[in-house]
């Protein structure tokens, strides 16, 4: 199969969209398929997993490159002659690619990952939120199939009028994120530095940005025996530093690779505060690492956390509920261990290989459906 991947984000930018795209490309290579990539020009490599990467002009927005529609997209697709078009988190660039695919008779699979409407609503831009819903519908209704990562995202897309939907989750690296890493030298050294007196380490890992609502971590001020750790960086770092001033907190900055895996392994509890997640990849990585997860009962985490079994879903509208959930786990090491084991079991069927095989089946469905439609008199 020949797959053209058009992504609104790619290396060296690291986020959920990029992670999914590179995993898909690696899987396509492993399964013997052919692929090409079109992505914003921002220092991206010229090839990945043996596949060529074509760069298109981009502008910077909130530290991220945003791909701009460009005449070369249609030419790139026409020259490659793909069997299917994979459009990751489509916006301006993705919308153009879907339209070009339709003109060329190429079926497309759109991967929904960014809640633009929710972002506008959080910033009290009601008119912009309504426009974002219409824009989302307009972009995705051109695709043969839109894949959403959670039941919450599916509900939102249906409400926006997006047709032809299915659910496709995300995989997790079960080897890199593993409970046994906790006994490794890297994690032990980090734990001894972060919690020299044996404190319980509660940590957040992810982008430090307004939509993550990290200021809510101030609720944890005064929880006895707790050490708070923030892994990641972003535009909210200065404001968050002020909000958490005086708390026992350590900012480790952005980490990757083995350092990131060791950071997960050094934690005792993983905490997440954002209510606008369409999925929540870091929650899966925490579960794979054997950690209990505390997250809001909103968006993607609803599908990822079985409250009371492998973590706790708190009510984001209830003041003090986050504190109660975290404090309860800080005080109960046996409960943390039991929930961590349950979390690990929960993600064992979600390897990237299994998830990407599911994606290949979706590809096959749209290719077959398009061929049957074209064959009708």
């Amino acid at each position: 199969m020949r797959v053209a991947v058009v992504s609104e984000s790619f290396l060296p930018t690291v986020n959920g969209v990029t992670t999914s795209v590179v995993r898909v490309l690696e899987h396509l290579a492993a399964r013997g398929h052919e692929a090409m990539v079109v992505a914003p020009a921002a220092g991206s490599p010229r090839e990945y997993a043996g596949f060529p990467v074509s760069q298109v002009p981009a502008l910077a927005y909130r530290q991220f490159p945003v791909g701009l529609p460009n005449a070369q997209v249609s030419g790139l697709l026409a020259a490659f002659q793909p069997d299917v078009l994979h459009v990751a988190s489509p916006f301006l660039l993705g919308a153009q690619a879907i339209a070009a695919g339709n003109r060329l008779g190429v079926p497309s699979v759109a991967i929904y990952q960014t809640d633009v409407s929710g972002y506008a609503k959080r910033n009290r831009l009601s008119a912009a939120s309504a426009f974002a819903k219409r824009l989302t519908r307009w972009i995705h209704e051109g695709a043969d199939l839109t894949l959403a990562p959670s039941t919450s995202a599916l509900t939102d897309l249906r409400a926006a009028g997006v047709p032809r939907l299915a659910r496709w989750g995300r995989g997790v690296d079960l080897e890199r994120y593993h409970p046994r890493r906790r006994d490794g030298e890297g994690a032990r050294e980090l734990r001894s530095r972060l919690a020299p007196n044996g404190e319980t380490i509660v940590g957040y890992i992810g982008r430090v940005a307004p939509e993550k609502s990290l200021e809510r971590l101030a609720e944890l001020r005064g929880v006895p025996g707790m050490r708070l750790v923030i892994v990641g960086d972003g535009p909210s770092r200065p404001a968050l530093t002020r909000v958490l001033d005086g708390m026992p907190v350590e900012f480790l900055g952005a980490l990757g690779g083995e350092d990131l895996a060791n950071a997960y392994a050094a934690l005792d509890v993983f905490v997440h505060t954002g209510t606008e997640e369409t999925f929540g990849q870091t929650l899966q990585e925490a579960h794979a690492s054997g950690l209990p997860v505390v997250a809001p009962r909103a968006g993607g985490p609803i599908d990822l956390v079985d409250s009371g079994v492998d973590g706790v879903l708190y009510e984001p509208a209830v003041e003090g509920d986050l504190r109660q959930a975290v404090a309860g786990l800080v005080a109960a090491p046996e409960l943390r261990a039991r929930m961590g084991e349950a979390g690990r079991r929960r993600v064992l069927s979600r390897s990237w290989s299994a998830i990407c095989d599911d994606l290949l089946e979706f590809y096959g469905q749209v290719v077959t459906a398009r061929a049957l439609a074209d064959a009708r008199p």
Side-chain angles (χ1 to χ4, degrees), residues 18-36:
T18 299
T19 298
S20 293
V21 168
V22 299
R23 290 297 189 172
V24 168
L25 292 172
E26 291 165 357
H27 192 73
L28 290 173
R31 291 288 190 264
H33 299 285
E34 296 181 64
M36 58 91 74

PDB file of all heavy atoms in Angstrom, residues 18-36:
ATOM      1  N   THR A  18       3.001  14.549  16.477  1.00  0.00           N
ATOM      2  CA  THR A  18       4.270  14.052  15.957  1.00  0.00           C
ATOM      3  C   THR A  18       4.525  12.614  16.388  1.00  0.00           C
ATOM      4  O   THR A  18       4.937  11.769  15.584  1.00  0.00           O
ATOM      5  CB  THR A  18       5.430  14.942  16.432  1.00  0.00           C
ATOM      6  OG1 THR A  18       5.236  16.269  15.947  1.00  0.00           O
ATOM      7  CG2 THR A  18       6.758  14.421  15.926  1.00  0.00           C
ATOM      8  N   THR A  19       4.278  12.320  17.659  1.00  0.00           N
ATOM      9  CA  THR A  19       4.515  10.973  18.167  1.00  0.00           C
ATOM     10  C   THR A  19       3.711   9.947  17.386  1.00  0.00           C
ATOM     11  O   THR A  19       4.230   8.898  16.978  1.00  0.00           O
ATOM     12  CB  THR A  19       4.164  10.888  19.661  1.00  0.00           C
ATOM     13  OG1 THR A  19       5.013  11.770  20.399  1.00  0.00           O
ATOM     14  CG2 THR A  19       4.339   9.471  20.179  1.00  0.00           C
ATOM     15  N   SER A  20       2.430  10.228  17.165  1.00  0.00           N
ATOM     16  CA  SER A  20       1.588   9.294  16.416  1.00  0.00           C
ATOM     17  C   SER A  20       2.097   9.114  14.994  1.00  0.00           C
ATOM     18  O   SER A  20       2.159   7.993  14.472  1.00  0.00           O
ATOM     19  CB  SER A  20       0.138   9.795  16.384  1.00  0.00           C
ATOM     20  OG  SER A  20      -0.434   9.773  17.674  1.00  0.00           O
ATOM     21  N   VAL A  21       2.473  10.220  14.350  1.00  0.00           N
ATOM     22  CA  VAL A  21       2.917  10.148  12.960  1.00  0.00           C
ATOM     23  C   VAL A  21       4.183   9.309  12.825  1.00  0.00           C
ATOM     24  O   VAL A  21       4.286   8.448  11.943  1.00  0.00           O
ATOM     25  CB  VAL A  21       3.128  11.559  12.384  1.00  0.00           C
ATOM     26  CG1 VAL A  21       3.869  11.503  11.047  1.00  0.00           C
ATOM     27  CG2 VAL A  21       1.783  12.255  12.195  1.00  0.00           C
ATOM     28  N   VAL A  22       5.167   9.534  13.696  1.00  0.00           N
ATOM     29  CA  VAL A  22       6.415   8.778  13.549  1.00  0.00           C
ATOM     30  C   VAL A  22       6.189   7.303  13.849  1.00  0.00           C
ATOM     31  O   VAL A  22       6.804   6.431  13.213  1.00  0.00           O
ATOM     32  CB  VAL A  22       7.546   9.359  14.431  1.00  0.00           C
ATOM     33  CG1 VAL A  22       7.862  10.797  14.046  1.00  0.00           C
ATOM     34  CG2 VAL A  22       7.221   9.269  15.910  1.00  0.00           C
ATOM     35  N   ARG A  23       5.293   6.996  14.772  1.00  0.00           N
ATOM     36  CA  ARG A  23       4.985   5.590  15.040  1.00  0.00           C
ATOM     37  C   ARG A  23       4.300   4.933  13.852  1.00  0.00           C
ATOM     38  O   ARG A  23       4.568   3.776  13.508  1.00  0.00           O
ATOM     39  CB  ARG A  23       4.114   5.477  16.290  1.00  0.00           C
ATOM     40  CG  ARG A  23       4.828   5.805  17.585  1.00  0.00           C
ATOM     41  CD  ARG A  23       5.964   4.818  17.838  1.00  0.00           C
ATOM     42  NE  ARG A  23       6.522   4.987  19.166  1.00  0.00           N
ATOM     43  CZ  ARG A  23       7.417   4.175  19.716  1.00  0.00           C
ATOM     44  NH1 ARG A  23       7.869   3.152  19.014  1.00  0.00           N
ATOM     45  NH2 ARG A  23       7.871   4.398  20.925  1.00  0.00           N
ATOM     46  N   VAL A  24       3.391   5.660  13.223  1.00  0.00           N
ATOM     47  CA  VAL A  24       2.728   5.131  12.029  1.00  0.00           C
ATOM     48  C   VAL A  24       3.750   4.885  10.925  1.00  0.00           C
ATOM     49  O   VAL A  24       3.728   3.841  10.256  1.00  0.00           O
ATOM     50  CB  VAL A  24       1.626   6.102  11.555  1.00  0.00           C
ATOM     51  CG1 VAL A  24       1.123   5.720  10.157  1.00  0.00           C
ATOM     52  CG2 VAL A  24       0.456   6.087  12.536  1.00  0.00           C
ATOM     53  N   LEU A  25       4.656   5.830  10.719  1.00  0.00           N
ATOM     54  CA  LEU A  25       5.670   5.667   9.682  1.00  0.00           C
ATOM     55  C   LEU A  25       6.571   4.466   9.963  1.00  0.00           C
ATOM     56  O   LEU A  25       6.898   3.683   9.056  1.00  0.00           O
ATOM     57  CB  LEU A  25       6.511   6.939   9.570  1.00  0.00           C
ATOM     58  CG  LEU A  25       5.782   8.176   9.036  1.00  0.00           C
ATOM     59  CD1 LEU A  25       6.668   9.412   9.172  1.00  0.00           C
ATOM     60  CD2 LEU A  25       5.353   7.982   7.589  1.00  0.00           C
ATOM     61  N   GLU A  26       6.967   4.311  11.205  1.00  0.00           N
ATOM     62  CA  GLU A  26       7.796   3.155  11.569  1.00  0.00           C
ATOM     63  C   GLU A  26       7.060   1.850  11.305  1.00  0.00           C
ATOM     64  O   GLU A  26       7.643   0.866  10.835  1.00  0.00           O
ATOM     65  CB  GLU A  26       8.204   3.256  13.037  1.00  0.00           C
ATOM     66  CG  GLU A  26       9.182   4.389  13.332  1.00  0.00           C
ATOM     67  CD  GLU A  26       9.303   4.713  14.804  1.00  0.00           C
ATOM     68  OE1 GLU A  26       8.588   4.096  15.630  1.00  0.00           O
ATOM     69  OE2 GLU A  26      10.110   5.614  15.151  1.00  0.00           O
ATOM     70  N   HIS A  27       5.764   1.840  11.584  1.00  0.00           N
ATOM     71  CA  HIS A  27       4.975   0.631  11.378  1.00  0.00           C
ATOM     72  C   HIS A  27       4.801   0.344   9.888  1.00  0.00           C
ATOM     73  O   HIS A  27       4.880  -0.821   9.461  1.00  0.00           O
ATOM     74  CB  HIS A  27       3.608   0.780  12.047  1.00  0.00           C
ATOM     75  CG  HIS A  27       2.840  -0.502  12.142  1.00  0.00           C
ATOM     76  ND1 HIS A  27       3.165  -1.503  13.025  1.00  0.00           N
ATOM     77  CD2 HIS A  27       1.759  -0.955  11.442  1.00  0.00           C
ATOM     78  CE1 HIS A  27       2.322  -2.509  12.890  1.00  0.00           C
ATOM     79  NE2 HIS A  27       1.466  -2.198  11.931  1.00  0.00           N
ATOM     80  N   LEU A  28       4.560   1.375   9.097  1.00  0.00           N
ATOM     81  CA  LEU A  28       4.442   1.182   7.656  1.00  0.00           C
ATOM     82  C   LEU A  28       5.727   0.592   7.083  1.00  0.00           C
ATOM     83  O   LEU A  28       5.701  -0.309   6.234  1.00  0.00           O
ATOM     84  CB  LEU A  28       4.115   2.506   6.976  1.00  0.00           C
ATOM     85  CG  LEU A  28       2.716   3.077   7.233  1.00  0.00           C
ATOM     86  CD1 LEU A  28       2.598   4.481   6.643  1.00  0.00           C
ATOM     87  CD2 LEU A  28       1.633   2.163   6.647  1.00  0.00           C
ATOM     88  N   ALA A  29       6.862   1.090   7.560  1.00  0.00           N
ATOM     89  CA  ALA A  29       8.144   0.562   7.098  1.00  0.00           C
ATOM     90  C   ALA A  29       8.305  -0.903   7.502  1.00  0.00           C
ATOM     91  O   ALA A  29       8.744  -1.743   6.700  1.00  0.00           O
ATOM     92  CB  ALA A  29       9.290   1.400   7.653  1.00  0.00           C
ATOM     93  N   ALA A  30       7.939  -1.214   8.742  1.00  0.00           N
ATOM     94  CA  ALA A  30       8.081  -2.586   9.236  1.00  0.00           C
ATOM     95  C   ALA A  30       7.180  -3.557   8.487  1.00  0.00           C
ATOM     96  O   ALA A  30       7.526  -4.737   8.327  1.00  0.00           O
ATOM     97  CB  ALA A  30       7.769  -2.626  10.726  1.00  0.00           C
ATOM     98  N   ARG A  31       6.038  -3.070   8.007  1.00  0.00           N
ATOM     99  CA  ARG A  31       5.085  -3.940   7.307  1.00  0.00           C
ATOM    100  C   ARG A  31       5.314  -3.945   5.794  1.00  0.00           C
ATOM    101  O   ARG A  31       4.577  -4.575   5.046  1.00  0.00           O
ATOM    102  CB  ARG A  31       3.654  -3.498   7.605  1.00  0.00           C
ATOM    103  CG  ARG A  31       3.209  -3.731   9.048  1.00  0.00           C
ATOM    104  CD  ARG A  31       3.000  -5.228   9.314  1.00  0.00           C
ATOM    105  NE  ARG A  31       2.348  -5.462  10.595  1.00  0.00           N
ATOM    106  CZ  ARG A  31       2.997  -5.739  11.718  1.00  0.00           C
ATOM    107  NH1 ARG A  31       4.326  -5.822  11.706  1.00  0.00           N
ATOM    108  NH2 ARG A  31       2.333  -5.935  12.849  1.00  0.00           N
ATOM    109  N   GLY A  32       6.342  -3.226   5.326  1.00  0.00           N
ATOM    110  CA  GLY A  32       6.690  -3.270   3.923  1.00  0.00           C
ATOM    111  C   GLY A  32       5.875  -2.373   3.021  1.00  0.00           C
ATOM    112  O   GLY A  32       5.850  -2.569   1.799  1.00  0.00           O
ATOM    113  N   HIS A  33       5.214  -1.350   3.576  1.00  0.00           N
ATOM    114  CA  HIS A  33       4.440  -0.416   2.770  1.00  0.00           C
ATOM    115  C   HIS A  33       5.327   0.743   2.319  1.00  0.00           C
ATOM    116  O   HIS A  33       6.437   0.941   2.829  1.00  0.00           O
ATOM    117  CB  HIS A  33       3.248   0.111   3.569  1.00  0.00           C
ATOM    118  CG  HIS A  33       2.287  -0.963   3.987  1.00  0.00           C
ATOM    119  ND1 HIS A  33       1.415  -1.569   3.118  1.00  0.00           N
ATOM    120  CD2 HIS A  33       2.071  -1.547   5.200  1.00  0.00           C
ATOM    121  CE1 HIS A  33       0.687  -2.471   3.763  1.00  0.00           C
ATOM    122  NE2 HIS A  33       1.076  -2.482   5.024  1.00  0.00           N
ATOM    123  N   GLU A  34       4.833   1.521   1.377  1.00  0.00           N
ATOM    124  CA  GLU A  34       5.532   2.713   0.910  1.00  0.00           C
ATOM    125  C   GLU A  34       4.818   3.950   1.443  1.00  0.00           C
ATOM    126  O   GLU A  34       3.595   3.950   1.590  1.00  0.00           O
ATOM    127  CB  GLU A  34       5.555   2.753  -0.614  1.00  0.00           C
ATOM    128  CG  GLU A  34       6.326   1.609  -1.253  1.00  0.00           C
ATOM    129  CD  GLU A  34       6.325   1.716  -2.767  1.00  0.00           C
ATOM    130  OE1 GLU A  34       6.888   2.694  -3.293  1.00  0.00           O
ATOM    131  OE2 GLU A  34       5.740   0.833  -3.419  1.00  0.00           O
ATOM    132  N   ALA A  35       5.578   4.999   1.713  1.00  0.00           N
ATOM    133  CA  ALA A  35       4.979   6.214   2.264  1.00  0.00           C
ATOM    134  C   ALA A  35       5.794   7.437   1.887  1.00  0.00           C
ATOM    135  O   ALA A  35       6.966   7.341   1.494  1.00  0.00           O
ATOM    136  CB  ALA A  35       4.858   6.113   3.785  1.00  0.00           C
ATOM    137  N   MET A  36       5.161   8.578   2.001  1.00  0.00           N
ATOM    138  CA  MET A  36       5.822   9.873   1.894  1.00  0.00           C
ATOM    139  C   MET A  36       5.146  10.807   2.877  1.00  0.00           C
ATOM    140  O   MET A  36       4.012  10.579   3.291  1.00  0.00           O
ATOM    141  CB  MET A  36       5.760  10.426   0.469  1.00  0.00           C
ATOM    142  CG  MET A  36       4.374  10.610  -0.096  1.00  0.00           C
ATOM    143  SD  MET A  36       3.660  12.249   0.203  1.00  0.00           S
ATOM    144  CE  MET A  36       4.594  13.218  -0.950  1.00  0.00           C
TER     145      MET A  36
END
